[in-house]
Amino acid sequence: MPFDFRRLDIYRKVPKDLTQPTTAGAIISVIGCMFMFFLFISELASFLDVEVSNELYVDDPESGDTIPVFLEIFLPKLRCEYVGVDIQDEMGRHEVGFVENTDKIPVNGGEGCLFTSSFKLNKVPGNFHVSTHSAASQPQNPDMTHEIRTLRFGEKIETVSSKSRAFTSLNGKNNLNQHALSSHDYIMKIVPTVYENLGGRMQYAYQYTSAYKNYMAYGHGHRMMPAIWFKYELMPITVSYKERRQPFYHFITMVCAIIGGTFTVAGIVDSFIFSATEMYKKFSMGKLS
């Protein structure tokens, strides 16, 4: 006798004339389908979303011996001829009036300046400051009120999470209403960061935190020329971020779990309601012994 392959079917079919539809079953079926659709959409959104995992380790990423910096600062009341950036660090570097990759755009009819500069820092504590120290002559009424348009260390990174703010935490910092003769100090802690996107591309940047104070600077009994100081210290901890997406097999597993779980629970609820209804009918007819 030939083997009947249909005997392997574990989903045996019941003729429709042997089944009994009920109103409660229809309601449960509609609710179950709606619930499955909602869970499916939620799981699909989770699958399409990009997660960013992170870890910490004591190391310095292989990004060279220097830190690239990009600075854009708006000084509405200081002429461009007076503005310059000076760089100092604990390795003995002392550069007054850094001029490479520096641009000055007059604003406010020439009375102010939009100053941009990109340079590199040694990986040791130090500072860079915007001042008039390198000018051929000093202004009679220096005014260091300013707005920091951009301050970034390392590569520019566009993240898919709220962490992106930590890479440019001073962007938009406004000190236009401070005293004209005040000096400004920004004390920063810089954290090396490695960011790997979905394509596997490695980017090296630096997150930073900052504290701020302003003050009137005096030396040898005389008022000193104001400046905008950015004092930094490099942290020994490196943060690693990695973008990742939920594996497809996990998505399929969750979809199967949603469908199977909903059908099972809905079937249990339907059976309970049907049994309770039948029992109530028998009780009403006096057939329940």
Side-chain angles (χ1 to χ4, degrees), residues 12 34 56 100 162 166 168 224 235:
R12 300 298 179 96
M34 294 175 61
L56 302 176
E100 297 178 15
S162 58
T168 55
M224 299 177 64
M235 304 303 291

Side-chain angles (χ1 to χ4, degrees), residues 2-219:
F3 175 73
D4 187 356
F5 185 74
R6 292 178 299 176
R7 295 176 60 185
L8 300 178
D9 184 7
I10 61 176
Y11 302 103
R12 300 298 179 96
K13 310 304 182 291
V14 180
K16 285 189 176 182
D17 56 355
L18 297 180
T19 61
Q20 178 182 349
T22 63
T23 302
I27 295 174
I28 293 173
S29 298
V30 172
I31 293 175
C33 289
M34 294 175 61
F35 185 66
M36 280 192 292
F37 180 75
F38 170 74
L39 292 181
F40 174 78
I41 294 300
S42 300
E43 191 61 32
L44 180 62
S46 177
F47 170 70
L48 296 176
D49 187 34
V50 177
E51 300 177 353
V52 180
S53 62
N54 65 81
E55 63 175 336
L56 302 176
Y57 53 89
V58 181
D59 193 11
D60 185 24
E62 298 178 2
S63 56
D65 298 325
T66 57
I67 303 173
V69 182
F70 178 78
L71 172 67
E72 181 181 48
I73 189 167
F74 172 59
L75 301 108
K77 300 177 181 179
L78 188 65
R79 298 174 68 91
C80 285
E81 61 189 272
Y82 299 119
V83 182
V85 63
D86 312 323
I87 305 171
Q88 297 174 287
D89 64 34
E90 293 187 0
M91 292 182 67
R93 181 183 183 184
H94 189 181
E95 190 167 350
V96 179
F98 181 85
V99 295
E100 297 178 15
N101 303 315
T102 296
D103 193 20
K104 304 177 185 180
I105 302 175
V107 295
N108 293 343
E111 295 301 315
C113 189
L114 179 62
F115 179 82
T116 61
S117 182
S118 58
F119 47 91
K120 293 185 177 181
L121 303 174
N122 294 318
K123 290 185 175 180
V124 294
N127 74 79
F128 55 95
H129 51 278
V130 177
S131 69
T132 62
H133 299 161
S134 61
S137 61
Q138 295 298 304
Q140 293 296 322
N141 298 298
D143 189 332
M144 283 292 174
T145 54
H146 63 278
E147 178 186 357
I148 300 174
R149 298 284 177 84
T150 305
L151 177 58
R152 182 180 71 248
F153 298 88
E155 298 182 57
K156 184 177 181 179
I157 294 179
E158 299 292 343
T159 74
V160 296
S161 70
S162 58
K163 298 178 178 63
S164 59
R165 178 61 183 165
F167 294 97
T168 55
S169 61
L170 281 177
N171 283 18
K173 179 69 174 179
N174 188 319
N175 279 308
L176 297 175
N177 297 321
Q178 300 293 344
H179 193 283
L181 298 177
S182 290
S183 285
H184 307 266
D185 276 10
Y186 295 96
I187 297 92
M188 299 177 294
K189 302 289 186 181
I190 302 175
V191 182
T193 305
V194 180
Y195 196 95
E196 181 180 353
N197 62 19
L198 284 175
R201 181 191 173 198
M202 308 289 287
Q203 292 180 282
Y204 300 94
Y206 296 83
Q207 301 178 80
Y208 62 91
T209 60
S210 64
Y212 168 76
K213 69 174 181 178
N214 67 84
Y215 56 93
M216 304 289 286
Y218 290 89

